[in-house]
Amino acid sequence: LDRISVGCAVTLYDNEFEEEVEYRIVGSTEANSLAGKISNESPIGKAIFGLKAGESFDFNGKKVKIIAISSKKIAGKPAIL
């Protein structure tokens, strides 16, 4: 996958906490942040939608880098962003 879109898994690196977090981008009816599923309409979803791996962005005053984009399934886990 070239750009972040609905259905893809995204690995982000949070510079503040020095950790990687994974999310699946889903539609608003499927969103469940505790399972790692965030809506493309949420603040973080809007911030990353359409970006490419390797790009960085600011979110809530933090510098965050997109590590990888894939179509793989991810294990649900809470994320800190």
Side-chain angles (χ1 to χ4, degrees):
L1 295 172
D2 187 41
R3 293 186 178 273
I4 296 173
S5 61
V6 173
C8 69
V10 181
T11 304
L12 305 175
Y13 184 78
D14 182 335
N15 288 322
E16 180 180 352
F17 292 102
E18 297 182 347
E19 69 178 357
E20 290 184 7
V21 292
E22 285 189 319
Y23 293 109
R24 169 138 332 256
I25 308 301
V26 297
S28 60
T29 59
E30 298 176 74
N32 179 344
S33 61
L34 295 177
K37 296 178 180 180
I38 59 169
S39 168
N40 61 316
E41 298 174 11
S42 68
I44 186 77
K46 288 179 182 179
I48 64 176
F49 201 83
L51 296 179
K52 295 180 177 184
E55 291 186 301
S56 295
F57 62 99
D58 291 315
F59 186 74
N60 287 342
K62 300 179 192 177
K63 190 74 162 178
V64 182
K65 183 174 183 176
I66 300 165
I67 303 296
I69 303 168
S70 72
S71 58
K72 71 174 184 153
K73 292 191 177 192
I74 59 173
K77 63 179 179 180
I80 296 191
L81 288 178

